[in-house]
Amino acid sequence: MALVAHIDSGKTTLTESILLQSHYLSSAGSVDTGSTTTDFLPAERERGITIQSASIPVRWKDWTFNLIDTPGHADFGMEVESASRVVDGAVVLIDSVEGVEAQTKGVWRQLDRYDVNSRILFLNKLDRPGASFRSSMLSTMRGRNPAYRGLVDLIKWEVWKYNAEGKPSIHALSRTKDELEQSDLFPPSHPIVPHLLPARVTMLDNLAQVSEELFDVLLGLPEDPSAYLSVQSSQILPHLRAATLRNDVLPVLCGSAFKHVGTELLMNYVGELLPSPVDVDPNPKVMAPNAPLRALAWKVGWDKRKGWMTFVRVYAGTLKSQSSVLNASQSQREKVSKLLLLYAAEAEEVDSLPFGSVGAVLGLKHTRTGDTLVSVAGGSNASSLRDIIPPPPLMSVSVIPHSHADLEPVEEALKALARTDPSVRVETLEGQLLVHGLGALHLEIVESRLREEWKVNFEFGQRRVSFRECLGSGDVSMVSNLWQTEIGGQHVQIKLDLSVTPLDEDESPDPLWDGNVVLMANGKPLPPGELHANPNDPLAQVAKGISSALSSSPNTTLALSQARIQVNGLDYPKEVHPSVLAGASAAILRKVIRAAGQGDLMEPYIKLKISVDEGSVGRVVEDLGEHGGEVLDLNAAEEAEPEPFVEESAYIPPQWLSPSTGKAAKGTSSRMKRTILAIAPLSQMLDYSSRLRALSGGHGLFHMENDGFRRVSALRAVDILRELGRM
C-alpha cells in the first residue's frame, strides 16, 4: 500500500503514527524536528519534505502491510510513479483545511495509470483551525475544530473517543433511534446525534446500489426508522470489500495523524478492504514457492555502506539469497548476494522474499528501475513486466567540473544518480555536460546529492527550461535512405526506409518516446532500444539510433517532439554486427530532420494556483500578464468546478456541524483571500517565489504543476534561439 497526497498533507506524519500504533516505534518522530523514520536523507530532514519513497513492512493484527511513504512535491513525481507501479492499494490523504489540491489530482491520475483501483480516502488534520469535513468532502466530490473529540464508525456502528493523550476508548452505539438520542456517549444535545442515523442510511443505500446481495438484505428489513441500525458489520464488510476491490466505492475515513487520532481505524480498514497480492493475481501457480520467479525492480538506490540496492516486488515464485537471476529487460545474468527487508534506513537480512513481498536486493550490477527479473531456467522466453515511465524533463542545467581531473568522477556520479532516479537525464551537448530534471527543486536536490553522497567537485551553470522543436514542413521525399561506411577495410551499405511526418492533432504521443510516436512496419509501437529483451536485435539498435537523433535536432540541438516515425524496411549485410545500425539509423534520420527544416518551437507551461490578499490581486495579475501568463479564473474562495455527483447521493454534514474559519470553507477570513488560477511559461516563473513575496508583502502562497508543452509564437521563438546562441 502507498500513502499518496499533495505536499504537506501529512503522509510522513501518518507513517510515524502507524509505526507508533503498530509498536514498531516507542515514540513518534516529527517532520519539524527532522526525526521521522522514513525521511532519513539529510536533505529530507533539512527541508522537512519527502524526496524519495521509503518502504516499511508493518505488522498489524493478522496482516502484514508493505507500506510505502511517497513524496508529495511534483518535482519528485518519479518516486510516486515507481511506487504506484508495485502497490495493490493506496491511502489518499486530504488536508481537511485545504481540501483537494493540484497534486492530489496528479497522484490520483498516477494511480489510474497503473490500475491501482482500490483506494481509501483519509481526511487528515481535522484538529487544525479551519478544518472542515463538509468542505473537504465537497472538494473531493468536485475533483481547528475545538469540539473535535472522536470518530463514529458507520460500518461497525461504534464511537471512538480520544482522551487528551490521544488514547482511544471504543463504545458500541445503540441500535434503536430512541436509545441513540438518549445515549450518554455524547454530551447533551450534541449536534452530531441527529445526523448519525441519516448518515448510516445513506451509506448503506449507496453500497446497496453496487451490491445486489446487500440490496436484498435491506429490502427484507421492517419499515422502522431504526431498521438500518440492526444491520451488523459482518453483513456489510464482505460487500464493502468487494465494491472497494472493483473500484465501485471510495471509503472515507478521517482523523489527525499528528494527534494519532483515527490511525488505528484507518489501518483496520486498510486490512479489511484493500487488496492483498492474492486478490490482484489469484492464480495459485504464481503463489507456489517453486513457481518460476517473476519480480519487478521498481527502484534502484545507492547506500554508502551497502552499495547498490535494488528494490523489488515479487509477482511470482520466491526470490532466494545467493541465487542467480536473469534480467529479462536487458538479457543480463545477475547474482543476488543478499536480500533485505527495509525499515526505512534500517535493514533486516532475510533468506528469501516470497510471492507478494517487497524488499531490497544487494549485488545486482546492471538492473535499473523498471527492469524485470526472472528465473534463469526458461528466463529467455519470459516477457518483461510493464515498465515504469519517467516523466519528461522540464528544466536543465550545465555541470562544470572544477578541473579536468574532476570530469570523470563527475560523469560517473551523474551516471550513478541517473540510475537511482530515471527522471534525471544526462547528456553531453557540444562539449557541455547537461543534466535534465523535473524542476528547480529537483535540480537543487541533484546538486546536493552529488556533493554529499558522491563527494565530487563541480559547479552548476545557469538553469534553463527544456525547449522542444517540432518537425518542419520541408520536402523530405528526396532524402537518401542509404548510409555508407568502411569497417575493417570493407565497404558497408545500410538501407533504412523511414516515413517521417508531423504527428496528427488527434494522435496521442507515446510517453516512452518523449512526445513522439515510433512504429514498426506493421504499425505496432517500436519500444525504445533499452526496452528490447535482446539488445542485439536489429530493431533494438535502430531504436537506439532513432532515440539519439530525436534527442538533439541538427537544426537547433533541441529534442524533437510531435513527430511520427515509421520503420518501413531495413536492409544491411548480415556479416555486419547489429550495433552498427544505431549509428546508421541516427545519421539517416538526422538527414530527414535537416531536410524538413526547423519547425515550431515548444516550451513547458505550468498551472499556477495563487492565494493572495484582496489588495494584492491587481499587482499579481499584472505581473502574470507581463511574463506571458494567462489568468484562467479569479474567484473569492474555491475553484469553480462542476460537481460530478449530486450532493444528495452521499451524506454531507451541514457546515455548522464542523465550524471552520479555514480556506476550505466559506468563512469570514476566506473573503479576505483571492485564489488566482493561471497558466504561464515555466521559463518566466523560475524566480516566482521571490517575485510573489515582493508583490504580496510576503503573504502570497502559490503552487505550480506541469501543464505540458505548448507551441510558442514566432517572436518568442526568436528569443529562445537567441538564448540558445542559435541566432
Side-chain angles (χ1 to χ4, degrees):
M1 56 169 283
L3 303 183
V4 300
H6 184 89
I7 192 169
D8 286 339
S9 296
K11 297 179 295 300
T12 302
T13 304
L14 178 59
T15 301
E16 286 294 301
S17 182
I18 290 170
L19 296 179
L20 179 70
Q21 304 287 7
S22 62
H23 308 297
Y24 174 76
L25 296 176
S26 57
S27 63
S30 163
V31 172
D32 295 332
T33 59
S35 56
T36 59
T37 308
T38 50
D39 284 356
F40 54 85
L41 289 180
E44 292 178 313
R45 296 192 162 178
E46 178 187 329
R47 294 167 183 266
I49 60 172
T50 301
I51 291 170
Q52 64 176 15
S53 52
S55 172
I56 293 191
V58 176
R59 292 174 178 84
W60 187 272
K61 297 189 175 178
D62 296 330
W63 300 295
T64 298
F65 307 109
N66 291 302
L67 184 149
I68 301 177
D69 176 24
T70 67
H73 200 288
D75 279 24
F76 310 110
M78 182 63 201
E79 294 288 322
V80 185
E81 198 83 16
S82 58
S84 301
R85 174 61 186 81
V86 294
V87 296
D88 302 317
V91 175
V92 182
L93 281 79
I94 303 288
D95 181 333
S96 297
V97 179
E98 301 290 346
V100 171
E101 299 175 84
Q103 194 57 17
T104 317
K105 301 172 186 176
V107 296
W108 194 270
R109 288 191 293 268
Q110 284 176 300
L111 294 172
D112 285 340
R113 187 154 57 244
Y114 291 102
D115 302 321
V116 184
N117 293 321
S118 302
R119 305 163 200 178
I120 290 176
L121 204 64
F122 185 69
L123 306 184
N124 192 25
K125 303 188 180 183
L126 273 170
D127 60 313
R128 289 184 53 197
S132 169
F133 186 96
R134 172 187 171 83
S135 297
S136 298
M137 283 296 293
L138 287 174
S139 74
T140 300
M141 294 171 74
R142 282 195 304 264
R144 143 187 160 201
N145 186 355
Y148 189 62
R149 292 286 182 270
L151 305 167
V152 175
D153 181 345
L154 294 178
I155 303 292
K156 297 183 179 176
W157 201 235
E158 55 194 20
V159 60
W160 291 55
K161 299 179 77 172
Y162 294 84
N163 62 19
E165 288 76 41
K167 301 294 182 186
S169 58
I170 307 170
H171 311 270
L173 287 170
S174 303
R175 295 279 174 174
T176 67
K177 186 173 181 287
D178 293 339
E179 289 179 5
L180 183 65
E181 290 172 350
Q182 297 166 16
S183 171
D184 59 0
L185 291 174
F186 302 94
S189 305
H190 195 285
I192 199 174
V193 176
H195 290 268
L196 295 178
L197 180 56
R200 191 171 216 243
V201 168
T202 308
M203 183 270 296
L204 288 176
D205 280 344
N206 276 335
L207 187 55
Q209 298 298 316
V210 294
S211 171
E212 289 186 19
E213 295 89 342
L214 183 62
F215 185 81
D216 292 338
V217 170
L218 299 183
L219 211 56
L221 294 174
E223 293 187 13
D224 179 346
S226 304
Y228 273 57
L229 302 185
S230 66
V231 182
Q232 300 297 314
S233 61
S234 58
Q235 296 174 278
I236 303 170
L237 277 170
H239 308 298
L240 180 58
R241 184 168 202 271
T244 304
L245 296 185
R246 294 192 306 266
N247 197 22
D248 286 342
V249 298
L250 178 64
V252 179
L253 290 98
C254 56
S256 166
F258 184 71
K259 299 277 183 70
H260 312 298
V261 172
T263 305
E264 292 180 60
L265 200 60
L266 172 65
M267 293 308 289
N268 288 345
Y269 278 108
V270 164
E272 296 276 11
L273 304 181
L274 290 187
S276 76
V278 177
D279 297 305
V280 176
D281 188 353
N283 183 357
K285 290 182 179 178
V286 303
M287 290 182 260
N290 60 349
L293 173 70
R294 198 167 174 75
L296 182 81
W298 61 277
K299 182 179 169 183
V300 177
W302 170 259
D303 184 272
K304 294 174 185 175
R305 297 180 305 242
K306 302 182 183 72
W308 286 109
M309 302 173 65
T310 306
F311 296 74
V312 298
R313 159 77 192 262
V314 181
Y315 283 93
T318 301
L319 180 59
K320 296 179 180 177
S321 182
Q322 298 298 318
S323 64
S324 291
V325 296
L326 182 72
N327 184 324
S329 305
Q330 300 191 55
S331 297
Q332 289 268 15
R333 192 164 173 153
E334 296 266 41
K335 177 73 174 177
V336 176
S337 61
K338 289 183 180 179
L339 296 176
L340 305 174
L341 283 181
L342 283 185
Y343 297 84
E346 303 299 320
E348 173 192 333
E349 191 172 340
V350 294
D351 294 327
S352 63
L353 293 174
F355 165 76
S357 298
V358 172
V361 184
L362 301 187
L364 305 187
K365 296 179 179 178
H366 308 288
T367 301
R368 307 154 312 163
T369 298
D371 285 355
T372 301
L373 303 175
V374 298
S375 306
V376 173
S380 58
N381 297 322
S383 59
S384 296
L385 290 162
R386 183 177 168 192
D387 198 15
I388 299 165
I389 303 167
L394 299 177
M395 195 175 289
S396 60
V397 67
S398 58
V399 183
I400 307 157
H402 282 174
S403 68
H404 184 71
D406 292 318
L407 176 60
E408 189 175 343
V410 167
E411 288 179 332
E412 289 299 316
L414 284 170
K415 186 178 176 183
L417 184 61
R419 187 178 167 194
T420 68
D421 181 0
S423 61
V424 173
R425 300 190 191 178
V426 183
E427 69 169 333
T428 303
L429 192 61
E430 297 180 343
Q432 192 176 37
L433 204 55
L434 292 179
V435 176
H436 305 278
L438 301 182
L441 180 59
H442 190 202
L443 291 177
E444 282 180 33
I445 298 301
V446 167
E447 183 178 10
S448 65
R449 290 189 67 188
L450 287 172
R451 295 192 195 284
E452 293 167 13
E453 295 179 41
W454 278 277
K455 310 290 185 189
V456 288
N457 301 313
F458 68 95
E459 295 298 330
F460 265 8
Q462 188 177 0
R463 288 175 299 167
R464 78 173 195 204
V465 302
S466 297
F467 301 108
R468 296 282 192 274
E469 177 191 332
C470 297
L471 193 68
S473 56
D475 183 13
V476 299
S477 60
M478 303 303 291
V479 176
S480 171
N481 58 5
L482 295 177
W483 181 80
Q484 302 179 64
T485 189
E486 280 198 7
I487 301 176
Q490 296 292 318
H491 179 75
V492 174
Q493 179 174 288
I494 293 171
K495 181 180 179 182
L496 178 67
D497 284 330
L498 293 176
S499 169
V500 185
T501 58
L503 209 59
D504 293 335
E505 287 187 10
D506 59 347
E507 195 169 6
S508 300
D510 186 343
L512 289 175
W513 284 99
D514 199 9
N516 301 288
V517 170
V518 182
L519 307 171
M520 294 183 285
N522 59 8
K524 291 184 178 179
L526 175 66
E530 63 271 14
L531 296 185
H532 284 257
N534 179 9
N536 289 325
D537 180 347
L539 279 179
Q541 295 298 325
V542 169
K544 280 187 178 179
I546 291 173
S547 182
S548 172
L550 290 175
S551 68
S552 176
S553 159
N555 303 316
T556 60
T557 72
L558 297 175
L560 203 74
S561 193
Q562 301 292 305
R564 184 182 191 275
I565 300 164
Q566 186 158 358
V567 180
N568 297 318
L570 173 64
D571 186 25
Y572 70 101
K574 299 306 176 200
E575 64 271 13
V576 172
H577 194 273
S579 60
V580 177
L581 297 174
S585 305
I588 292 171
L589 181 54
R590 282 195 185 101
K591 285 195 292 184
V592 176
I593 296 170
R594 193 178 287 112
Q598 181 189 313
D600 292 340
L601 299 189
M602 302 174 77
E603 69 174 316
Y605 270 65
I606 53 167
K607 275 184 184 171
L608 285 159
K609 182 179 179 182
I610 309 161
S611 177
V612 291
D613 293 334
E614 181 80 33
S616 306
V617 171
R619 292 191 295 273
V620 170
V621 170
E622 184 181 359
D623 176 78
L624 285 169
E626 289 173 354
H627 290 85
E630 177 188 345
V631 174
L632 301 177
D633 195 9
L634 192 61
N635 55 28
E638 300 172 333
E639 291 184 34
E641 296 184 16
E643 295 190 13
F645 303 108
V646 178
E647 190 171 323
E648 288 77 17
S649 67
Y651 174 78
I652 307 290
Q655 185 62 46
W656 55 263
L657 195 58
S658 52
S660 173
T661 57
K663 297 175 185 177
K666 293 180 180 176
T668 54
S669 67
S670 68
R671 295 193 192 108
M672 306 295 291
K673 288 278 187 182
R674 294 291 287 267
T675 299
I676 303 167
L677 301 176
I679 58 168
L682 175 59
S683 60
Q684 302 297 306
M685 296 290 139
L686 299 182
D687 61 345
Y688 193 62
S689 180
S690 54
R691 282 215 318 269
L692 182 62
R693 199 178 301 121
L695 291 166
S696 63
H699 296 292
L701 299 171
F702 78 99
H703 173 77
M704 61 172 65
E705 64 170 320
N706 175 25
D707 195 40
F709 285 82
R710 299 188 179 207
R711 294 174 191 254
V712 303
S713 66
L715 202 60
R716 175 66 182 136
V718 170
D719 291 339
I720 292 172
L721 292 173
R722 281 206 184 101
E723 186 181 329
L724 298 173
R726 293 282 150 188
M727 287 193 75

